[in-house]
C-alpha cells in the first residue's frame, strides 16, 4: 500500500497508533490513576477496617468474611469476593467503555482516523490497551490484597470457607492463580459490552454506565427464579463460580460454563463492535 | 452503502427472534388430563361381608389409547385429593391413573384398619378389578392389567401389602413407609424387638389422632404431617379430607365417646392403641396387630420390581425400614432400587420433581418396558454445596451400582474417648431432651440440617472423638458398644452429634432409643445408631451422647441414676466410597456456544467487508483533490451533499464558501474518510478516499474545532499525535508547526487550561504536522483576533506558495477574498459556482463601476438559487 510517491512519506498503516502511544495517552488520565489508586488502596482500607473492628465473635464461623483475617490468602480471597461483583466491573467497564467514546467526546477521534489510523487498527490497539488495563486491575487487586493480608495477618495456610478445612498455602497458590484467571475471563463479557457501547456512543459516561447498568440488570434478572434455566445464560450468572476453586475438591463445572459464556458473549460483542465502527459515520 | 451493510445483521436478529417466537408457540404443550370421579363399591372384611364405597378419581392416559395403569395411594390423614398433582403428572406421562380415598378417609366410607389384609388390601384388589375393566388400560391377561402401584407413607404401606397379596401388580414405588409398624412405634436400638422397644409416643399420638374428625380445623394444621413429603403436592393439597367425612353424615351432630376417642379407626385398633399408649409398652397382641399391617408379615411374597424411596428426614419411618423392605424384596430375586431423598415425615426439601421423575422412570421401564435405563441401584440425596451461579444450596444425587445396606461397603473405626458418667432419669421423665419434634421437623430443618437438638444437663453422657483429620462421609448405621451400670431396666437414647460447626448438629435430628437391663457390674449393649447419610467435615468431632430422656418418646417416670460408659472406645461407622455424585457433566453448550460465537464473530467481521481495491488514477496523481458526483443523504433523508463535483489544482488556496448547512463540513468529513458518501467519490492525488486510506497521510485537516486530550499538554498532544501516525519523528516538522501555533510557554500546560483561540491555533498546527500536501481547514480564523487572522492569512498563502494546496472553508467572505485565489460556492449541498476569485468578482462587477465584492457575488448566487 505504501508508496512514497503517492502517499505520505514513510506512512505505514501497521505502524500507526503504537501500543506505547495509546498506553501513554490513557495512563496519564486522571480517572485511570484514580481507579488504580483505589484498587491499590482498597486492601489496606480493608486491613484497617478489620483491625479496628472487634474480632468476630464466632471463631467457628466458616464464612469467607469471618475467615478473612486467617492469613494473606484468606484475606485476598475475601477482598476479591467483595470487589468482583461491582468494583472490578466498574473498573473494567471504565477502561473498556471509556476508550473510544472519550476520544469521540474530545473530537480527537476524527483526527486519529484522518491521520490516518485505519479503523480496525485503531479499535484493535485500543481494545488491547483497554483489556490490558482491565487485566492489570483484576490482577493488581488480589495481589495487593495478598501483600496487605500477608503483612498484616501473616502467611498462613488457607482455611476454606464452608468446610473449614485447612490447606497448605503452597498448595493453594496455584488455586489462587485459577481464581484470578477465572476472574479475568469472567470480566471479559463486561469488557466487550463496554467496548461495544463505547464504539456506539459519543458519551463516555453512557458507555461505562450502560455496561455497569446492564450488569446490574443481569444481576437482578438472575434473582428471578421463574426464569429457570434461562438464568444460566445471563452473563453474570457464573460470576462467583471462582469460589469453587476454593473448595476441597476443585469443581470446574461452574467456571467452565462461566468461561464458555463469557467468551461467547465477548467474541460476538467485540465482532459487532468492529463491524459497527467500520461502517460508522464519525460525526463527533 | 451504510444502510445496505447493516441490513443483514438486522435481518439475522429479526429471523432469530421470529424463530424463537415460532418455537415458543409451537412447542408441544402437554396434552390435557381428564379426571373422572367415581364412587366404587367394594366388599371387604374378614368374612367379605362389609360394604364400603370408595371415592375414586380415574385419569385416562393423556395420549389416549391403551396404557399401563398406576394406582396412586395417599398418605395418612389425606385423601385422593392429596395425590392429584402426582396423578396428573403420571397421566401426562401416558399412564391410566386411579386415585382413591382409602376406607375411613375423605369421602370414602368405612373405618381405618391400618392397611389390613382383611380390609384395605381387599379394597385394592377390587379397585384392580375395576381398572382391568377400563377400556383405556393395557391388559397382560383378561382381568390382569399391566399395573404399577405407588404411594407415600400410609399409601406406601398399602402399595407393599397389595403387592404381596395381589399377583397382578407388576411394579411398585413405595415411599417413606414402614417395614414393621410395630418397630416404627416401638423402636429399640439394641435389636431386641418391639416388645422391648421404646414407645414413640408423640408420633404415635399424632398418628392415631389424625383419624378423628376435628370440628375446629378442617384440613388445617398438621394435615400434611403423615402424608409426609412423599412427592409432589402431598403437603399442600390434602385439602378437605375431614370435611368430606362430615358430608357423609355418619358422624352425628354430637360425637359419641367412641367417636371422639377413636375417630374413624376400627374399634379393635383403637383399643389396641389406647392400651399401648397408656403403658408405653407393646403387648404381643399389639405387635401382632401392627405386624399384620406390615410387610414383615408377608416374607417372600413381594416379588415385583420395587423402587423404595425413603426420607433422610424421617424420625417416624427411618431409613432402616426401607432397608428391611429392600432386603425382603431382593431376597425373592425381584429387582430393587433404594433411594434416600431429602424428605420424609420431618420435612426436608421433598424433591417432588426428582421423586416424580424417578417414579415415572421406574414405571416406564417395568410397565411400558420402553428399554429406558434405570437409575442407580442406590441413590442418596446429598448437600451439593452451592450452585456456582446462584450460590444457593443445591442437592446432588450420589449413586452407586449396588445397594450396600446399612452397614456400608467399608467400615471405619473412630476412636471415642470419655470417662464413665452418671446420668439421671428425671422423675416423670421431664424435662426431656429434644431431638426432633414430630410435625415441627419442617420448621426446624431450616436451621441447617442439624435441627435444634437439646440435651438436658445431668441427663446426658457424652463421648467425643478427636478432630477428624479428613472428612468422613457416613452412609448407614454407626454402631457402638456401651456399658450401663445400675439397677433394673434403663431407657437410654443414643445420638451422634457432628461437633465443629456453629452449634453441635444432630444429623437429621435422629435418635436411637434402647432399653437395657442394667447391673451393678455393668451390662454391655451394642447400640445401632440411626441410619444417616452425613458428611463430617475435617476438623469436626463425632460426639456420642447417651441421654435418659427424649421428648418424642416415653421414658420411665421413676427417678433413677445410672452410670454409662463405653464398652469399647470406638465407634464403627459404615461408609460407601463408591457413592459418587455424578458431576453435572459439561453441557453441550459449554463448548458449542463459544465455537459458534467465534464463527458468528468471524462472519460478522468478514462478511460484507467493503474491499474495493483502490486503483489509483495515474492521471490524477498530481491533482490534490477531485470530487465527482459526491452525494450524502442524512438519516432523515435530506440531502446534505448533492452531486457535488469540483477539482482543486496544486498550489491553490481554495475557498469553500456557503451559508450554514450548505454541506461544506460534510464534504470535508468525507474528504477525511470519516463519513461514507452515498454516491460519488473523492480522489486525493488520484487515490480514492475511503476510511483510513493511506493517501490520507498526505492530508492535513482541521474540521469542526480542535480535538485534543485535555489532560495532556499542547506539546504532548502534538507529539503523541505524530507518533500515532506512525511516521518518523523527523518528518513532523514539529517546531515549524509550533511556531505557527505561537503558544509560547503555554505549550507545556494541559490543554484543558487553553482558551478557544489557543486550541484553535494548536489544532491548525497539528493539521500542518508533517507539512501535508493538502491542507483542509474548516473556519480556521474562528476565535482568532485580528492580528492572528492576518498572520494566519500570510501562513496559508506561504504554505500554498511552496507547491502545496490549501482548502479553507469559511463564511467570512472578506477573509476568503483576501486569502484565496479560487472559490467553490455551495448552497444546499449543491455546487453553485466555482472559479478564480477574480473571475467571480469581475463577472459580478456592478454596473455602477465600483469594484465588486465577494459578498455581493455570494448573496447574488445563493439568492438566485434560493
Amino acid at each position: 500500500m505504501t508508496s512514497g510517491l503517492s502517499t505520505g512519506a514513510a506512512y505505514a498503516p501497521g505502524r500507526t497508533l503504537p501500543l506505547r502511544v495509546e498506553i501513554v495517552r490513557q495512563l496519564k488520565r486522571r480517572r485511570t490513576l484514580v481507579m488504580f489508586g483505589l484498587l491499590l488502596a482498597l486492601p489496606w482500607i480493608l486491613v484497617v477496617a478489620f483491625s479496628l473492628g472487634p474480632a468476630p465473635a464466632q471463631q467457628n464461623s466458616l464464612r469467607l468474611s469471618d475467615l478473612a483475617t486467617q492469613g494473606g490468602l484468606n484475606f485476598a480471597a475475601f477482598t476479591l469476593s467483595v470487589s468482583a461483583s461491582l468494583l472490578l466491573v466498574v473498573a473494567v467497564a471504565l477502561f473498556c467503555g471509556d476508550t473510544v467514546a472519550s476520544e469521540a467526546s474530545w473530537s480527537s477521534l476524527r483526527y486519529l482516523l484522518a491521520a490516518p489510523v485505519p479503523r480496525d487498527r485503531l479499535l484493535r490497539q485500543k481494545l488491547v490497551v483497554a483489556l490490558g488495563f482491565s487485566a492489570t486491575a483484576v490482577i493488581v487487586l488480589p495481589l495487593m490484597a495478598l501483600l496487605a493480608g500477608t503483612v498484616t495477618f501473616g502467611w498462613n495456610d488457607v482455611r476454606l470457607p464452608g468446610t473449614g478445612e485447612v490447606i497448605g498455602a503452597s498448595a493453594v497458590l496455584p488455586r489462587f492463580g485459577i481464581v484470578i484467571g477465572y476472574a479475568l475471563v469472567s470480566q471479559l463479557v463486561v469488557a466487550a459490552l463496554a467496548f461495544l457501547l463505547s464504539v456506539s456512543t459519543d458519551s463516555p459516561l453512557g458507555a461505562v454506565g450502560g455496561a455497569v447498568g446492564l450488569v446490574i440488570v443481569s444481576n437482578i434478572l438472575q434473582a428471578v427464579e421463574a426464569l429457570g434455566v434461562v438464568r444460566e445464560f445471563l452473563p453474570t450468572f457464573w460470576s462467583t463460580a471462582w469460589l469453587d476453586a476454593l473448595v476441597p475438591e476443585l469443581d470446574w463445572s461452574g467456571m467452565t460454563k462461566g468461561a464458555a459464556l463469557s467468551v461467547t458473549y465477548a467474541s460476538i460483542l467485540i465482532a459487532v463492535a468492529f463491524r459497527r465502527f467500520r461502517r460508522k459515520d464519525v460525526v463527533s | 452503502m451504510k444502510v445496505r451493510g447493516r441490513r443483514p445483521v438486522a435481518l439475522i436478529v429479526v429471523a432469530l427472534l421470529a424463530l424463537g417466537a415460532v418455537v415458543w408457540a409451537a412447542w408441544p404443550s402437554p396434552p390435557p388430563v381428564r379426571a373422572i370421579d367415581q364412587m366404587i363399591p367394594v366388599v371387604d372384611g374378614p368374612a367379605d361381608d362389609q360394604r364400603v364405597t370408595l371415592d375414586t378419581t380415574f385419569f385416562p392416559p393423556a395420549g389416549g389409547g391403551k396404557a399401563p395403569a398406576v394406582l396412586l395411594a395417599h398418605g395418612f390423614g389425606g385423601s385422593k385429593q392429596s395425590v392429584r398433582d402426582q396423578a396428573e403428572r403420571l397421566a401426562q406421562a401416558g399412564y391410566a391413573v386411579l386415585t382413591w380415598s382409602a376406607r375411613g378417609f375423605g369421602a370414602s366410607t368405612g373405618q381405618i384398619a391400618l392397611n389390613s389384609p382383611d380390609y384395605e388390601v381387599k379394597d385394592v384388589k377390587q379397585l384392580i378389578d375395576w381398572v382391568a375393566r377400563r377400556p383405556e388400560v393395557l391388559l397382560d391377561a383378561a382381568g390382569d392389567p399391566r399395573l404399577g402401584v405407588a404411594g407415600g407413607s400410609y399409601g406406601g404401606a398399602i402399595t407393599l401389602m397389595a403387592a404381596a397379596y395381589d399377583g397382578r401388580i407388576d411394579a411398585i414405588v413405595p415411599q417413606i413407609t414402614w417395614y414393621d409398624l410395630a418397630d416404627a412405634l416401638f423402636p429399640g436400638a439394641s435389636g431386641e424387638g418391639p416388645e422391648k422397644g421404646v414407645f414413640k409416643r408423640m408420633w404415635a399420638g399424632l398418628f392415631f389422632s389424625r383419624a378423628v374428625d376435628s370440628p375446629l380445623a378442617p384440613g388445617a394444621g398438621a394435615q400434611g404431617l403423615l402424608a409426609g413429603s412423599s412427592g409432589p403436592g402431598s403437603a399442600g393439597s390434602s385439602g378437605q379430607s375431614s370435611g368430606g367425612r362430615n358430608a357423609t353424615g355418619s358422624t352425628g351432630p354430637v360425637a359419641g365417646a367412641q367417636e371422639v376417642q377413636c375417630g374413624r379407626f376400627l374399634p379393635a385398633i383403637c383399643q389396641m392403641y389406647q392400651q399401648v399408649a397408656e403403658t408405653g409398652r407393646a403387648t404381643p397382641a399389639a405387635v401382632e396387630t401392627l405386624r399384620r399391617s406390615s410387610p414383615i408379615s408377608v416374607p417372600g411374597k413381594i416379588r415385583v420390581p420395587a423402587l423404595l424411596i425413603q426420607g433422610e428426614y424421617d424420625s417416624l419411618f427411618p431409613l432402616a425400614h426401607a432397608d428391611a423392605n429392600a432386603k425382603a424384596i431382593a431376597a425373592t430375586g425381584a429387582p430393587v432400587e433404594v433411594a434416600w431423598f431429602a424428605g420424609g415425615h420431618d420435612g426436608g426439601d421433598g424433591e417432588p420433581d426428582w421423586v416424580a421423575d424417578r417414579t415415572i422412570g421406574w414405571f416406564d421401564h417395568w410397565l411400558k418396558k420402553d428399554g429406558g435405563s434405570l437409575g442407580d441401584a442406590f441413590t442418596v440425596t446429598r448437600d451439593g454445596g452451592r450452585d456456582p451461579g446462584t450460590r444457593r444450596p443445591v442437592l446432588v444425587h450420589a449413586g452407586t451400582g449396588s445397594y450396600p445396606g446399612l452397614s456400608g461397603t467399608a467400615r471405619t473405626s473412630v476412636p471415642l474417648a470419655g470417662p464413665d458418667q452418671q446420668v439421671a432419669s428425671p422423675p416423670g421423665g421431664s424435662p426431656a431432651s429434644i431431638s426432633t419434634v414430630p410435625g415441627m421437623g419442617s420448621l426446624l430443618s431450616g436451621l441447617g440440617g442439624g435441627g435444634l437438638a437439646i440435651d438436658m444437663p445431668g441427663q446426658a453422657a457424652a463421648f467425643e472423638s478427636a478432630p477428624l483429620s479428613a472428612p468422613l462421609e457416613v452412609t448407614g448405621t454407626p454402631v457402638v458398644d456401651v456399658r450401663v451400670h445400675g439397677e433394673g431396666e434403663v431407657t437410654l437414647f443414643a445420638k451422634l452429634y457432628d461437633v465443629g460447626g456453629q452449634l453441635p448438629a444432630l444429623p437429621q435430628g435422629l435418635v436411637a432409643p434402647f432399653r437395657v437391663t442394667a447391673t451393678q457390674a455393668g451390662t454391655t449393649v451394642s447400640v445401632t445408631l440411626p441410619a444417616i447419610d452425613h458428611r463430617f467435615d475435617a476438623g469436626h468431632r463425632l460426639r456420642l451422647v447417651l441421654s435418659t430422656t427424649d421428648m418424642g418418646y416415653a421414658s420411665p417416670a421413676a427417678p433413677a441414676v445410672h452410670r454409662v460408659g463405653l464398652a469399647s472406645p470406638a465407634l464403627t461407622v459404615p461408609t460407601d466410597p463408591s457413592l459418587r455424585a455424578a458431576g453435572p457433566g459439561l453441557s453441550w453448550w459449554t463448548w458449542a456456544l463459544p465455537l459458534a460465537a467465534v464463527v458468528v464473530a468471524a462472519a460478522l467481521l468478514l462478511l460484507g467487508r467493503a474491499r474495493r481495491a483502490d486503483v489509483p488514477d495515474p492521471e490524477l496523481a498530481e491533482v490534490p483533490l477531485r470530487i465527482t458526483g459526491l452525494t450524502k443523504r442524512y438519516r432523515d433523508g435530506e440531502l446534505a451533499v448533492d452531486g457535488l463535483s469540483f477539482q482543486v489544482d496544486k498550489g491553490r488556496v481554495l475557498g469553500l464558501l456557503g451559508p450554514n448547512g450548505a454541506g461544506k463540513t460534510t464534504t470535508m468529513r468525507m474528504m477525511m474518510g470519516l463519513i461514507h458518501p452515498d454516491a460519488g467519490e473523492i480522489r486525493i492525488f488520484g487515490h480514492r478516499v475511503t476510511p483510513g486510506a493511506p493517501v490520507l497521510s498526505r492530508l492535513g485537516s482541521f474540521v469542526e474545532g480542535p480535538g485534543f486530550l485535555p489532560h495532556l499538554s499542547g506539546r504532548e498532544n502534538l507529539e503523541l499525535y505524530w507518533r500515532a501516525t506512525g511516521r518518523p519523528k523527523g518528518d513532523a516538522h514539529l517546531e515549524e508547526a509550533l511556531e505557527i501555533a505561537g503558544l509560547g510557554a503555554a505549550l507545556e500546560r494541559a490543554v484543558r487550561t487553553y482558551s478557544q483561540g489557543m486550541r484553535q491555533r494548536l489544532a491548525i498546527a497539528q493539521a500542518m504536522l508533517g507539512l501535508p500536501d493538502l491542507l483542509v481547514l474548516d473556519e480556521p480564523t474562528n476565535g482568532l483576533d485580528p492580528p492572528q487572522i492576518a498572520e494566519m492569512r500570510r501562513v496559508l498563502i506561504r504554505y500554498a506558495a511552496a507547491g502545496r494546496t490549501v482548502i479553507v472553508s469559511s463564511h467570512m467572505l472578506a477573509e476568503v477574498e483576501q486569502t484565496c485565489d479560487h472559490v467553490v460556492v455551495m448552497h444546499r449541498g449543491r455546487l453553485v459556482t466555482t472559479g478564480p476569485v477574480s473571475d467571480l468578482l469581475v463577472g459580478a462587477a456592478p454596473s455602477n463601476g465600483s469594484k465588486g465584492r465577494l459578498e455581493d457575488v455570494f448573496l447574488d448566487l445563493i439568492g438566485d438559487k434560493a
Side-chain angles (χ1 to χ4, degrees):
Chain A
M1 277 277 174
T2 312
S3 99
L5 247 176
S6 58
T7 63
Y11 169 78
R15 283 209 296 270
T16 52
L17 194 59
L19 290 179
R20 280 174 56 193
V21 171
E22 176 61 12
I23 289 172
V24 171
R25 286 159 58 91
Q26 298 295 334
L27 197 59
K28 288 199 170 178
R29 302 185 59 189
R30 199 171 288 172
R31 64 180 62 171
T32 311
L33 297 175
V34 166
M35 183 47 83
F36 275 118
L38 182 63
L39 291 173
L40 291 174
L42 180 74
W44 297 100
I45 297 172
L46 285 173
V47 161
V48 171
F50 271 110
S51 39
L52 283 184
Q58 284 286 350
Q59 280 303 329
N60 285 330
S61 168
L62 294 180
R63 288 186 310 164
L64 198 53
S65 58
D66 296 327
L67 293 177
T69 55
Q70 292 280 331
L73 284 162
N74 267 111
F75 181 77
F78 167 74
T79 309
L80 196 57
S81 78
V82 291
S83 46
S85 60
L86 195 59
L87 181 62
L88 287 182
V89 168
V90 170
V92 170
L94 180 71
F95 293 137
C96 296
D98 195 58
T99 180
V100 180
S102 64
E103 299 275 359
S105 76
W106 296 325
S107 303
S108 51
L109 182 61
R110 59 169 172 260
Y111 294 109
L112 281 179
L113 290 177
V117 183
R119 291 193 178 189
D120 279 1
R121 179 165 174 91
L122 179 105
L123 272 205
R124 196 187 86 193
Q125 302 296 85
K126 281 197 157 289
L127 183 62
V128 168
V129 171
L131 288 180
F133 276 43
S134 305
T136 312
V138 175
I139 291 170
V140 110
L141 176 75
L143 286 188
M144 182 52 94
L146 199 56
L147 177 69
T150 306
V151 167
T152 318
F153 306 115
W155 179 253
N156 297 327
D157 291 348
V158 167
R159 273 195 87 185
L160 297 181
T163 63
E165 265 179 275
V166 174
I167 299 187
S170 55
V172 146
L173 218 49
R175 298 276 194 96
F176 211 72
I178 295 173
V179 167
I180 294 181
Y182 179 72
L184 282 173
V185 175
S186 70
Q187 296 292 353
L188 210 52
V189 60
V190 179
L193 181 62
F195 193 68
L196 173 58
L197 290 174
S198 189
V199 165
S200 313
T201 172
D202 296 347
S203 150
L205 199 67
V208 179
V212 174
L214 281 172
V215 166
I216 290 173
V217 167
S218 169
N219 270 320
I220 291 172
L221 281 180
Q222 196 173 314
V224 180
E225 300 219 359
L227 286 177
V229 78
V230 175
R231 293 185 303 162
E232 285 195 20
F233 297 91
L234 289 171
T236 57
F237 189 76
W238 305 99
S239 59
T240 48
W242 57 269
L243 287 169
D244 294 338
L246 296 182
V247 296
E249 271 188 52
L250 183 58
D251 178 3
W252 284 103
S253 67
M255 285 191 279
T256 316
K257 286 180 178 173
L261 219 53
S262 194
V263 168
T264 302
Y265 281 120
S267 45
I268 291 183
L269 289 172
I270 287 176
V272 172
F274 271 83
R275 195 182 166 93
R276 288 199 77 159
F277 194 63
R278 225 181 247 166
R279 290 151 182 275
K280 184 176 173 167
D281 281 346
V282 177
V283 290
S284 56
Chain B
M1 177 175 151
K2 186 194 97 191
V3 177
R4 249 184 294 125
R6 242 177 225 177
R7 198 167 285 157
V9 184
L11 278 179
I12 289 170
V13 170
V14 168
L16 283 178
L17 284 177
L19 185 70
V22 167
V23 169
W24 182 275
W27 197 261
S29 58
V33 171
R34 278 188 306 135
I36 304 165
D37 289 319
Q38 184 112 25
M39 299 302 284
I40 300 182
V42 292
V43 179
D44 58 15
D48 289 321
D49 56 356
Q50 299 189 16
R51 294 190 173 278
V52 170
T53 309
L54 297 179
D55 178 21
T56 71
T57 303
F58 182 72
F59 301 86
K66 281 187 181 294
V70 173
L71 260 58
L72 201 53
H74 62 81
F76 204 84
S79 72
K80 66 173 190 179
Q81 290 301 328
S82 331
V83 290
R84 190 178 175 107
D85 289 353
Q86 288 156 284
E88 287 179 349
R89 220 151 156 162
L90 278 162
Q92 227 127 45
Y95 291 94
V97 184
L98 182 71
T99 65
W100 75 102
S101 297
R103 66 191 334 269
F105 292 99
S108 293
T109 62
Q111 287 170 312
I112 300 163
L114 283 187
N115 292 335
S116 157
D118 288 332
Y119 296 93
E120 280 87 350
V121 171
K122 285 183 177 173
D123 297 348
V124 171
K125 284 185 172 196
Q126 289 162 76
L127 291 178
I128 296 175
D129 294 340
W130 185 87
V131 163
R133 290 193 295 271
R134 291 295 307 193
E136 298 92 341
V137 172
L138 183 68
L139 298 181
D140 284 330
D144 177 6
R146 178 79 56 81
L147 181 68
V149 187
S153 193
Y154 190 68
I158 192 61
T159 301
L160 287 160
M161 296 306 289
Y165 284 95
D166 196 315
R168 291 174 293 178
I169 295 173
D170 300 302
I172 53 173
V173 185
Q175 299 154 22
I176 58 168
T177 192
W178 66 80
Y179 170 69
D180 179 357
L181 192 52
D183 177 72
L185 298 182
F186 295 92
S190 54
E192 290 182 72
E195 278 97 341
K196 281 208 77 176
V198 182
F199 183 42
K200 205 184 272 177
R201 65 171 180 186
M202 278 185 82
W203 265 127
L206 277 171
F207 193 92
F208 283 90
S209 68
R210 284 309 312 144
V212 180
D213 290 327
S214 167
L216 300 175
Q223 186 73 54
L225 278 189
L226 286 148
S229 39
S230 62
S234 66
S237 60
S238 41
Q240 293 292 319
S241 62
S242 311
R245 172 65 186 164
N246 285 337
T248 64
S250 74
T251 323
V254 178
Q258 167 78 15
E259 298 274 348
V260 294
Q261 200 156 45
C262 293
R264 301 176 69 178
F265 272 110
L266 272 186
I269 290 185
C270 182
Q271 276 158 23
M272 179 274 297
Y273 170 68
Q274 284 170 15
Q275 192 188 352
V276 299
E278 194 177 350
T279 60
R281 315 222 70 146
T283 61
V287 172
E288 162 67 20
T289 307
L290 292 172
R291 283 190 167 165
R292 258 179 67 70
S293 300
S294 305
I296 191 176
S297 65
V298 287
K301 288 179 72 179
I302 306 174
R303 287 187 292 255
V304 292
L307 167 64
L308 297 158
I309 302 179
Q310 201 78 351
E312 293 166 5
Y313 299 87
D314 203 327
S315 55
L316 178 58
F317 304 130
L319 297 171
H321 282 260
D323 178 62
N325 275 326
K327 284 191 172 128
I329 299 170
T332 68
V336 173
E337 284 182 13
V338 177
W340 296 355
F341 78 122
H345 289 92
D346 289 330
D349 179 84
E351 302 188 78
D353 293 330
W354 186 78
V355 168
D357 288 348
R358 249 340 252 280
T359 305
I360 290 170
W362 189 253
F363 287 147
D364 283 352
H365 186 88
W366 295 109
L367 300 182
K368 285 188 181 168
K369 301 189 196 292
D370 64 352
S373 62
L374 291 167
D376 285 312
F378 180 44
T379 311
V380 177
T381 300
R382 285 180 173 163
D383 175 15
R386 284 168 188 275
D387 181 273
T390 58
R391 309 313 309 176
R392 308 212 316 166
V394 289
L395 299 172
V396 294
H397 298 101
T400 183
S402 68
Y403 175 56
L406 297 181
S407 45
T409 54
R411 275 161 289 282
T412 310
S413 187
V414 180
L416 291 180
D420 285 8
Q421 290 155 57
Q422 305 269 15
V423 290
S425 292
S430 180
S433 303
I434 300 173
S435 52
T436 310
V437 183
M440 303 302 247
S442 49
L443 301 178
L444 299 180
S445 64
L447 298 170
L452 240 190
I454 298 168
D455 290 313
M456 293 298 158
Q459 298 178 20
F463 308 91
E464 246 180 29
S465 74
L468 295 172
S469 55
L472 177 65
E473 189 98 55
V474 178
T475 306
T477 51
V479 178
V480 67
D481 291 343
V482 300
R483 187 172 291 141
V484 185
H485 307 264
E487 274 178 28
E489 190 167 74
V490 177
T491 303
L492 288 172
F493 300 88
K495 327 177 202 188
L496 185 63
Y497 281 94
D498 177 349
V499 184
Q502 296 194 358
L503 288 170
L506 182 60
Q508 281 94 51
L510 294 174
V511 56
F514 62 98
R515 271 190 228 274
V516 56
T517 310
T519 57
Q520 289 300 338
T523 308
T524 300
V525 55
S526 177
V527 176
T528 305
L529 288 154
I532 50 171
D533 181 73
H534 183 80
R535 178 188 159 100
F536 293 85
D537 284 321
H540 286 206
R541 297 164 186 270
L542 278 65
R543 179 191 289 167
L544 174 73
V545 169
L546 296 173
S547 166
T548 56
T549 53
D550 191 277
M551 202 165 86
Y553 294 81
S555 31
V561 175
H562 329 286
R563 188 157 59 88
V564 295
L566 296 170
S568 67
L571 178 76
T572 308
V573 298
T575 59
D576 186 350
S578 68
L579 268 177
R580 285 243 168 264
L586 286 186
S587 313
W588 57 271
W589 58 262
T590 46
W591 53 267
L593 265 189
L595 279 182
V598 168
V599 171
V600 170
L604 280 174
L605 289 181
L606 297 177
L607 291 182
R609 199 168 183 174
R611 261 268 172 251
R612 243 169 281 170
D614 172 32
V615 185
D617 186 342
E619 289 187 8
L620 296 175
E622 293 302 312
V623 178
L625 178 70
R626 171 183 282 180
I627 294 177
T628 9
L630 193 68
T631 303
K632 176 70 186 177
R633 193 179 289 274
Y634 281 139
R635 214 170 269 184
D636 59 10
E638 196 194 330
L639 280 169
V641 179
D642 185 4
L644 183 70
S645 301
F646 66 88
Q647 176 172 327
V648 184
D649 294 322
K650 217 168 171 182
R652 292 268 160 78
V653 179
L654 177 90
L656 193 55
L657 284 179
N660 286 333
K664 306 188 296 285
T665 306
T666 307
T667 306
M668 288 180 151
R669 284 179 175 283
M670 286 191 275
M671 283 182 212
M672 294 163 74
L674 295 177
I675 58 185
H676 304 257
D678 292 328
E681 63 169 21
I682 301 174
R683 284 188 181 267
I684 295 179
F685 297 110
H687 292 268
R688 234 173 129 258
V689 172
T690 52
V695 73
L696 290 172
S697 60
R698 298 179 70 180
L699 175 85
S701 51
F702 167 70
V703 173
E704 261 201 323
F708 293 110
L709 279 59
H711 54 284
L712 298 178
S713 72
R715 181 186 289 278
E716 283 172 321
N717 258 298
L718 292 204
E719 280 175 356
L720 284 172
Y721 175 76
W722 187 253
R723 285 171 66 188
T725 66
R727 289 154 68 183
K729 198 171 181 180
D731 292 1
H733 304 279
L734 184 64
E735 294 313 316
E736 293 172 60
L738 289 177
E739 202 172 307
I740 290 161
L743 289 169
L747 209 51
E748 311 301 332
R749 292 205 323 249
V751 167
R752 76 168 78 85
T753 63
Y754 284 16
S755 69
Q756 164 74 19
M758 290 163 84
R759 287 181 201 200
Q760 182 95 358
R761 281 178 283 149
L762 189 66
I764 293 168
Q766 177 178 289
M768 290 182 175
L769 279 182
L771 304 179
D773 297 324
L774 175 61
L775 187 62
V776 177
L777 302 175
D778 186 17
E779 311 278 2
T781 52
N782 264 7
L784 301 189
D785 55 25
Q788 287 167 340
I789 292 175
E791 172 61 22
M792 184 61 62
R793 188 162 50 214
R794 282 192 292 277
V795 165
L796 294 183
I797 292 169
R798 214 165 46 227
Y799 197 84
R804 301 187 186 90
T805 313
V806 178
I807 300 175
V808 180
S809 92
S810 184
H811 55 259
M812 293 181 67
L813 303 171
E815 182 56 46
V816 170
E817 195 179 332
Q818 292 177 49
T819 315
C820 303
D821 42 31
H822 274 64
V823 288
V824 167
V825 181
M826 287 180 72
H827 185 52
R828 293 190 177 165
R830 289 179 165 278
L831 178 74
V832 176
T833 186
T834 177
V837 175
S838 48
D839 287 6
L840 277 181
L841 294 179
V842 167
S847 48
N848 61 14
S850 69
K851 192 186 173 206
R853 289 188 312 148
L854 190 56
E855 188 174 338
D856 302 323
V857 179
F858 180 68
L859 289 175
D860 196 32
L861 282 171
I862 64 171
D864 278 350
K865 306 273 172 182

